[in-house]
Amino acid sequence: MVKPIVKDIVFLKQRSLPAGPADAPAGEDLLDTLKANRERCVGLAANMIGIRRRIIVVQTGLAPIVMFNPVITAHSPESYETEEGCLSLTGTRRTRRWEKVEVSYTDRSGKAHELTLSGFQAQIVQHEIDHCNGILI
């Protein structure tokens, strides 16, 4: 189900709680909401739709990936400054991102995965994991 985007900064700055199998419907809602906003959005975190769980969805190519409890396990020493926007915030802001990240997560069925991303895809994951940690750009 497509959910409205939360813009309450106090809510968004709260750390999200671990996600489990019972949170699978939230993953579906994130996918639906991402698809509904595909013209202006490449990733979402569950707190952006009012759910304080560590779930993100990122557009990494042909199909978006839903990640439960994503964690950056390694990153490149190289970083760069960039400008990002966010559906929950007005305008864009400068931030610094690593060029390459390794992320571990579980899928909706609880199966563990590891993924290495670079460039814009790594940037998306970092932005959404920041949301899970209550960090806004």
Side-chain angles (χ1 to χ4, degrees):
M1 176 184 300
V2 176
K3 300 288 188 174
I5 302 298
V6 172
K7 298 183 183 287
D8 179 351
I9 301 302
V10 173
F11 179 82
L12 293 168
K13 286 189 173 185
Q14 297 177 47
R15 290 182 66 86
S16 295
L17 303 170
D23 297 308
E28 290 301 318
D29 290 344
L30 276 173
L31 278 171
D32 292 343
T33 306
L34 178 69
K35 289 175 186 172
N37 290 281
R38 68 178 157 256
E39 298 294 325
R40 58 192 186 119
C41 179
V42 291
L44 288 171
N47 65 349
M48 294 174 69
I49 61 169
I51 302 166
R52 274 191 53 221
R53 294 285 184 236
R54 297 186 68 81
I55 309 168
I56 66 173
V57 61
V58 295
Q59 186 67 51
T60 61
L62 295 177
I65 299 174
V66 178
M67 299 180 185
F68 278 54
N69 303 308
V71 175
I72 294 173
T73 56
H75 60 81
S76 62
E78 301 87 16
S79 67
Y80 59 96
E81 190 172 303
T82 188
E83 193 167 286
E84 294 178 354
C86 179
L87 289 182
S88 291
L89 305 171
T90 303
T92 60
R93 292 166 177 79
R94 304 292 299 167
T95 190
R96 183 159 286 282
R97 298 294 184 203
W98 293 304
E99 176 61 36
K100 186 176 180 180
V101 296
E102 293 178 18
V103 61
S104 65
Y105 65 96
T106 57
D107 61 25
R108 290 172 276 183
S109 66
K111 182 179 177 190
H113 297 270
E114 290 186 11
L115 192 59
T116 300
L117 299 167
S118 60
F120 188 56
Q121 293 174 344
Q123 182 179 336
I124 299 166
V125 167
Q126 290 171 78
H127 180 105
E128 303 313 335
I129 290 176
D130 277 356
H131 267 293
C132 291
N133 293 326
I135 299 168
L136 303 175
I137 55 172

